[in-house]
Amino acid sequence: MALITWTAEQYGTHVGFADQEHQTLFGLLNKLYDDATGGAARSTIGASLDALIAYVVDHFAHEEQEMQAAGFSGYDKHKAEHEALVGICADLQKKFHAGEADVTDEVGQMVKNWLDSHIPTFDKAYSAVLK
Ligand code: FEO
């Protein structure tokens, strides 16, 4: 069962590129979660983890570029939020590939909770400026 399902009501920002990228991101998170909790090979889980993190980094960069271009006043706080998650992800990625950590149900829930908090508060805040 999918960990997270995109709905316009819960996650819609009214900014086309963001809504599209969030849906792709959710798909990659669901794939990782299914692999990690469904007994997939460690190499498969690692590939899914790398794909998700690479996409998250690209998505954050895209949002930051658009916010800066629009002169959005919430840029600094928003970027700090992004950097905090990227730091957690980079640490997990390094430990996973060193055999020192696993992708667990708790990891999936942590990322879901972060998105549940971040998108409705931080991402929706740029809606009026970027749409
Ligand atoms: Fe869509 Fe600010 O992350």
Side-chain angles (χ1 to χ4, degrees), residues 22 59-60 63 78 82 114 118-119 122-123 126:
H22 289 152
H59 168 64
F60 287 172
E63 270 187 5
H78 197 143
H82 287 171
W114 191 92
H118 182 83
I119 295 175
F122 284 86
D123 288 356
Y126 61 51

Side-chain angles (χ1 to χ4, degrees), residues 13-56:
T13 64
H14 304 289
V15 177
F17 85 86
D19 288 347
Q20 284 181 357
E21 290 179 12
H22 289 152
Q23 288 172 69
T24 300
L25 197 162
F26 284 20
L28 291 167
L29 174 58
N30 284 332
K31 167 85 167 66
L32 172 63
Y33 185 77
D34 287 347
D35 288 346
T37 59
R42 191 172 177 83
S43 59
T44 301
I45 298 168
S48 294
L49 178 65
D50 291 349
L52 173 63
I53 293 174
Y55 194 85
V56 165

Side-chain angles (χ1 to χ4, degrees), residues 85 88-89 92 105-115:
L85 183 67
I88 292 168
C89 288
L92 172 66
D105 178 67
E106 287 73 24
V107 168
Q109 298 295 341
M110 182 276 291
V111 178
K112 179 185 184 296
N113 289 340
W114 191 92
L115 293 165

Side-chain angles (χ1 to χ4, degrees), residues 91-108:
D91 185 56
L92 172 66
Q93 189 175 30
K94 189 176 157 192
K95 287 181 175 160
F96 179 89
H97 288 296
E100 297 167 357
D102 291 317
V103 178
T104 59
D105 178 67
E106 287 73 24
V107 168

